[in-house]
Amino acid sequence: MRNGAALDPKTCDRARIARDPRFDGAFYTGVRTTRIYCRPTCPVKPAKSKNVVFFPTAAAAERAGFRPCLRCRPETAPGTPAWRGAAATVSRALRLIEQGFLDGDARVEALADTLGMTARHLRRLFLRHAGASPTAVATTRRVQRAKALVDGTAMSMSAIAFASGFASIRRFNAAFRAVYRRSPTSVRRARARRAHGAVAESRAPWHSSGGRSRPWQRAR
């Protein structure tokens, strides 16, 4: 990995096929056939190597038109090692974004002023090192925070929107739909159904046979 963005495809491919946890958060795999991007540790059967492309950040994958996998949940990946090798200015900017500098109505120009450069130059650095603009990176981080709250809490959607740094519920819904291609409410309902199904399956008696004879009856 060079400058936090130049990924070695062969290394990435070996890592994602092996589901190597050492690479979790270091890059993301986009599957061209499904237009979904995953963590290297995704439990789904790995796609064919000819059908994948690699990205240094989740924002870069989304910028290329991929949406997050609902199985491996990219929003729960550890901190992004890909950014550690980025230019010092970009690394500082990323830390500020993580802390919420661009939340609400804050503009990239304000971030650039804080870093002592023009907004145009900052955008150029981000595209080189993170594969996406500062705004795209900030939006991805807000949506990721929101997704974690949608999955892990019973908070209302309006509360999640403001807790995640969105200036309004309308912007939250629009950003979430743009990333996941569905509303946050539908994602929460789908996860609740999966969780309910898993609980029901785990509680089902092992000898359940849907009306068929039980094992010990057939053995007689």
Side-chain angles (χ1 to χ4, degrees), residues 9 14 22 31 38 41 48 50 63 70 88 109 117 141 146 157 165 168 171 186 193 196-197:
R14 287 195 297 268
R22 295 176 299 174
V31 182
C38 302
T41 55
K48 295 180 179 179
K50 66 179 182 180
R63 178 172 177 259
L70 293 177
E109 285 74 13
M117 64 180 62
R141 290 302 300 141
M157 293 304 165
S168 69
R171 291 185 183 180
S186 66
R193 286 195 298 270
H196 179 74

Side-chain angles (χ1 to χ4, degrees), residues 15 23 28 36 38 48 52 69 81 94 99 112 122 144 146 150 174 176 201 205 209:
F23 289 82
Y28 296 88
I36 290 174
C38 302
K48 295 180 179 179
V52 302
C69 174
L94 289 166
Q99 294 165 9
L122 181 61
Q144 287 179 337
V150 167
F176 199 97
E201 183 177 350
S209 56

Side-chain angles (χ1 to χ4, degrees), residues 9 26 33 38 49 60 67 115-116 125 137 163 188 205 213 215:
T33 53
C38 302
S49 298
R67 59 187 173 87
L115 298 170
L125 288 175
V137 170
R188 173 174 277 178
S213 61

Side-chain angles (χ1 to χ4, degrees), residues 62-99:
E62 290 166 15
R63 178 172 177 259
F66 293 82
R67 59 187 173 87
C69 174
L70 293 177
R71 289 287 302 277
C72 64
R73 299 177 60 196
E75 74 276 4
T76 63
T80 310
W83 291 346
R84 295 175 189 162
T89 298
V90 176
S91 295
R92 184 184 173 197
L94 289 166
R95 287 194 297 270
L96 291 172
I97 289 173
E98 185 68 27
Q99 294 165 9

Side-chain angles (χ1 to χ4, degrees), residues 1-24:
M1 198 172 297
R2 300 186 303 276
N3 295 328
L7 305 176
D8 176 21
K10 292 183 178 179
T11 300
C12 292
D13 204 40
R14 287 195 297 268
R16 63 110 190 171
I17 291 174
R19 298 190 178 93
D20 192 332
R22 295 176 299 174
F23 289 82
D24 197 12

